C-alpha cells in the first residue's frame, strides 16, 4: 500500500533516502520504521522507496507513521538526497543516479564491486563500507558484519534442523528414549557461536572447532564441547591466520573424525579476503552417516566442503549438502532491524546534532570505513585492485 507522500520535511537539512533492494532473494531493508522515527525526530527528512520494506514485512504505512515520505521511483528518491542507505552494494546503474557529494552507506563488497567503486570515484560520490568498520569496542553498535552473522548463524542452525531426519533433543517417550542429535560447528566466530547457541536451545549435543584457541572459552560457555588441536592460529586483529601445510593435515584428521560422527555440520570458517578453507573433503563426506546434513555458510566464498555448490542443495553419499546464499535474508525482519540500528549508530557518528557533516573524516571509525571520497578511492587495497585492472 502506498502511503500519503506527506512525510515531514526535515529540520536539519539532511535528506536520507532508503533504497528498495534489487538483488534477487534480498528481503532485507536498510531502515525500519522504528529507526526512521528516530531519524525524523532528530530532524532528518526521510524518503523510503515504495515497498522497500515489503520483503522484511515492514509495509509502507509503518514508515509513513514514522514520519517518512514514500517515493515511487528511484530518480525521485535520489534527487537531492544527502545520505543513501542500502544493504547490498550499489551497482554501476545505481551509482549513475547519485549526484556529486552524495553519501552512500551499506555493504560495498569492495573487492567484488570494482566497476561501481571506480564510478563512485569518478562521480565524486562518498561511500562508507560497513565491512570496513573496525572491530573495536566503540564500533560494536555499528558492526553490521556481526549483526548479520548473528542472523546467518541462527538461520543455519534452523536450516540444518529442518533438513535433518532426526529430533535434535533427547526425548523420553512411551515409545522409548531418543538420543539427542550431534551438531558440529566448524568456525566459532559470530555466526558459529549463534549456531551453537541455537542448536543447544533445540536440545542437540554440540561440538565446535575453531583454529583460534581463544574461541574455546566462548564455545564452552554456551554448553558445547570444544575440539582441541595443539595449534593456535590467531592472527592480526582477532582473525585467523592461514595454517601451515603440516598444521592443515592434523586439523583435517581431527575435523574429519568429528564430521563423521555428526548428524548436522554447520561450517562458518573464513579468512577475510581469501577463499574459504576446505575443511570437509569428498572422502570425509563419504564417511558421514546417511541422513547427515551439512550447512555451508562459507558457500559464497568457495565453501568449507569440497562438494558444496553455492546456492544449491546437493545429495552425495546420503548426505544433504546445503550451500545457502544470503542466510541473513531468511530472518529479514530482525536482520533488517539490527542492520538499521547499526546504521543509526553509524549516522550518529557521521552527522553532528546540527546536521553538519565533516569535509574530512578524521574519526577512526569513519576513516577506516571510508571507501571512496572526493574523487579518490580511500581504501588502499581496493584502490590497488582498481589500478591493477587499469594500468
Ligand atoms: P569470520 O567470519 O572471519 O570467520 C569465522 C570463524 O572461522 C572465525 O572464528 C575463524 O577463526 C574461523 N576459522 C578460520 N579458518 C578456520 C579453520 N581452518 N578451521 C576452523 N575455523 C576457522 O569471523 P567473525 O565471526 O567475523 O569473527 C572474527 C573475529 O573477530 C573473532 O575473533 C570475533 O570474536 C572477533 N570479533 C570482534 C568484535 C569486536 O571486538 N567488536 C566484533 C565481532 C567479531
Amino acid at each position: 500500500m502506498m502511503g500519503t507522500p506527506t512525510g515531514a520535511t526535515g529540520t536539519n537539512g539532511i535528506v536520507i533516502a532508503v533504497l528498495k533492494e534489487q538483488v534477487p532473494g534480498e528481503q532485507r531493508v536498510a531502515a525500519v520504521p522504528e529507526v526512521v522515527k528516530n531519524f525524523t525526530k532528530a530532524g532528518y527528512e526521510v524518503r523510503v522507496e515504495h515497498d522497500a520494506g515489503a520483503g522484511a514485512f515492514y509495509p509502507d504505512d509503518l514508515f509513513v507513521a514514522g514520519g517518512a515520505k514514500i517515493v515511487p521511483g528511484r530518480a525521485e528518491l535520489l534527487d537531492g538526497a544527502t545520505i543513501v542507505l542500502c544493504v547490498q552494494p550499489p551497482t554501476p546503474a545505481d551509482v549513475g543516479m547519485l549526484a556529486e557529494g552524495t553519501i552512500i552507506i551499506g555493504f560495498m563488497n569492495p573487492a567484488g564491486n570494482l566497476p561501481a567503486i571506480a564510478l563512485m570515484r569518478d562521480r565524486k560520490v562518498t561511500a562508507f563500507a560497513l565491512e570496513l568498520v573496525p572491530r573495536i569496542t566503540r564500533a560494536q553498535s555499528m558492526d553490521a558484519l556481526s549483526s548479520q552473522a548473528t542472523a546467518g548463524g541462527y538461520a543455519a542452525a534452523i536450516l540444518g534442523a529442518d533438513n535433518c531426519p532426526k529430533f535434535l533433543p533427547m526425548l523420553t517417550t512411551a515409545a522409548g528414549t531418543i538420543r539427542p542429535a550431534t551438531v558440529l560447528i566448524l568456525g566459532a566466530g559470530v555466526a558459529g557461536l549463534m549456531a551453537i547457541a541455537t542448536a543447544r536451545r533445540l536440545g542437540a549435543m554440540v561440538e565446535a572447532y575453531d583454529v583460534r584457541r581463544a574461541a574455546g572459552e566462548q564455545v564452552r560457555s554456551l554448553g558445547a564441547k570444544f575440539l582441541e588441536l595443539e595449534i593456535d592460529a590467531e592472527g592480526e586483529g582477532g582473525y585467523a591466520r592461514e595454517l601451515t601445510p603440516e598444521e592443515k593435515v592434523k586439523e583435517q584428521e581431527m575435523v574429519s573424525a568429528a564430521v563423521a560422527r555428526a548428524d548436522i555440520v554447520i561450517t562458518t570458517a573464513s579468512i577475510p579476503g581469501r577463499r574459504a578453507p576446505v575443511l570437509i573433503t569428498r572422502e570425509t563426506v563419504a564417511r558421514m552417516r546417511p541422513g547427515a546434513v551439512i550447512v555451508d555458510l562459507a558457500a559464497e566464498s568457495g565453501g568449507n566442503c569440497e562438494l558444496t555448490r553455492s546456492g544449491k542443495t546437493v545429495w552425495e553419499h546420503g548426505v544433504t549438502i546445503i550451500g545457502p546464499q544470503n542466510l541473513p535474508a531468511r530472518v529479514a525482519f530482525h536482520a533488517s532491524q539490527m542492520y538499521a540500528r547499526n546504521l543509526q549508530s553509524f549516522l550518529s557518528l557521521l552527522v553532528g546534532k546540527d546536521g553538519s557533516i565533516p569535509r574530512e573524516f578524521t574519526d577512526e571509525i569513519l576513516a577506516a570505513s571510508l571507501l571512496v571520497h572526493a574523487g579518490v578511492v580511500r581504501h588502499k587495497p581496493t584502490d590497488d585492485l582498481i589500478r591493477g585492472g587499469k594500468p
Side-chain angles (χ1 to χ4, degrees):
M1 190 186 100
M2 284 283 292
T4 39
T6 53
T9 306
T11 53
N12 72 358
I14 305 276
V15 179
I16 296 180
V18 181
L19 294 181
K20 175 171 168 55
E21 299 296 320
Q22 302 293 326
V23 170
E26 183 52 85
Q27 306 288 322
R28 292 170 294 174
V29 60
V32 299
E34 153 207 314
V35 164
V36 164
K37 197 170 170 188
N38 293 335
F39 284 153
T40 54
K41 262 204 237 155
Y44 296 93
E45 178 186 331
V46 183
R47 298 178 191 163
V48 176
E49 194 168 355
H50 168 51
D51 261 356
F57 298 94
Y58 297 102
D60 282 352
D61 49 5
L62 290 186
F63 285 102
V64 172
K69 176 178 168 183
I70 301 297
V71 178
R74 257 200 188 185
E76 194 190 332
L77 177 87
L78 296 174
D79 183 28
T82 324
I83 298 174
V84 179
L85 304 181
C86 59
V87 179
Q88 293 285 343
T91 62
D94 298 326
V95 176
M97 299 174 84
L98 300 178
E100 181 175 329
T102 310
I103 298 172
I104 182 162
I105 311 171
F107 286 129
M108 293 288 150
N109 185 18
N113 202 21
L114 299 180
I117 295 166
L119 193 58
M120 289 198 272
R121 175 198 60 197
D122 298 343
R123 293 183 66 85
K124 296 196 170 63
V125 165
T126 295
F128 287 97
L130 293 180
E131 296 93 331
L132 302 178
V133 168
R135 285 181 140 175
I136 57 174
T137 307
R138 190 165 61 89
Q140 271 178 358
S141 61
M142 306 164 204
D143 187 348
L145 277 184
S146 286
S147 72
Q148 302 310 292
T150 299
Y154 172 84
I158 301 294
L159 193 58
D162 192 29
N163 282 275
C164 177
K166 294 186 174 181
F167 290 118
L168 266 61
M170 187 182 106
L171 296 182
T172 309
T173 78
T177 300
I178 306 284
R179 281 174 54 79
T182 301
V183 177
L184 172 68
I185 314 287
L186 298 179
V190 180
L193 290 171
M194 186 62 183
I196 293 171
T198 307
R200 287 286 301 144
R201 287 173 186 133
L202 289 171
M205 292 207 304
V206 182
E207 296 187 334
Y209 170 65
D210 196 295
V211 276
R212 290 179 302 109
R213 217 180 278 167
E217 202 183 313
Q218 290 167 300
V219 166
R220 282 186 288 269
S221 74
L222 291 170
K225 180 180 169 196
F226 188 64
L227 305 174
E228 302 269 8
L229 188 71
E230 295 307 306
I231 293 174
D232 187 4
E234 181 156 335
E236 242 175 81
Y239 288 104
R241 68 163 168 84
E242 203 161 20
L243 299 183
T244 65
E246 299 75 45
E247 287 172 339
K248 277 187 181 155
V249 171
K250 274 193 181 174
E251 176 195 51
Q252 195 80 48
E253 284 163 4
M254 185 192 68
V255 168
S256 297
V259 169
R261 59 178 181 258
D263 296 301
I264 300 172
V265 183
I266 296 170
T267 67
T268 76
S270 72
I271 301 169
R274 307 191 68 130
R275 189 207 180 282
V278 172
L279 304 179
I280 307 177
T281 60
R282 179 182 296 272
E283 292 71 36
T284 306
V285 174
R287 287 173 58 195
M288 291 178 76
R289 296 171 172 171
V293 183
I294 297 172
V295 182
D296 191 341
L297 245 81
E300 284 168 288
S301 55
N304 290 143
C305 172
E306 216 175 354
L307 298 176
T308 297
R309 288 177 60 201
S310 183
K312 301 259 185 312
T313 297
V314 293
W315 290 269
E316 298 272 358
H317 308 287
V319 176
T320 304
I321 304 164
I322 308 173
Q325 287 175 339
N326 198 353
L327 270 180
R330 285 178 176 251
V331 272
F333 184 92
H334 280 133
S336 300
Q337 188 178 60
M338 293 165 91
Y339 186 85
R341 289 175 181 171
N342 294 145
L343 282 176
Q344 181 184 324
S345 180
F346 190 89
L347 254 66
S348 68
L349 190 65
L350 176 69
V351 186
K353 285 211 169 21
D354 57 350
S356 59
I357 298 176
R359 276 172 188 277
E360 269 310 321
F361 305 99
T362 48
D363 177 273
E364 180 189 2
I365 298 169
L366 298 179
S369 54
L370 186 62
L371 179 61
V372 188
H373 183 51
V376 178
V377 177
R378 296 292 183 95
H379 183 239
K380 177 137 186 347
T382 306
D383 192 39
D384 288 347
L385 282 175
I386 291 176
R387 286 174 191 278
K390 252 201 302 182

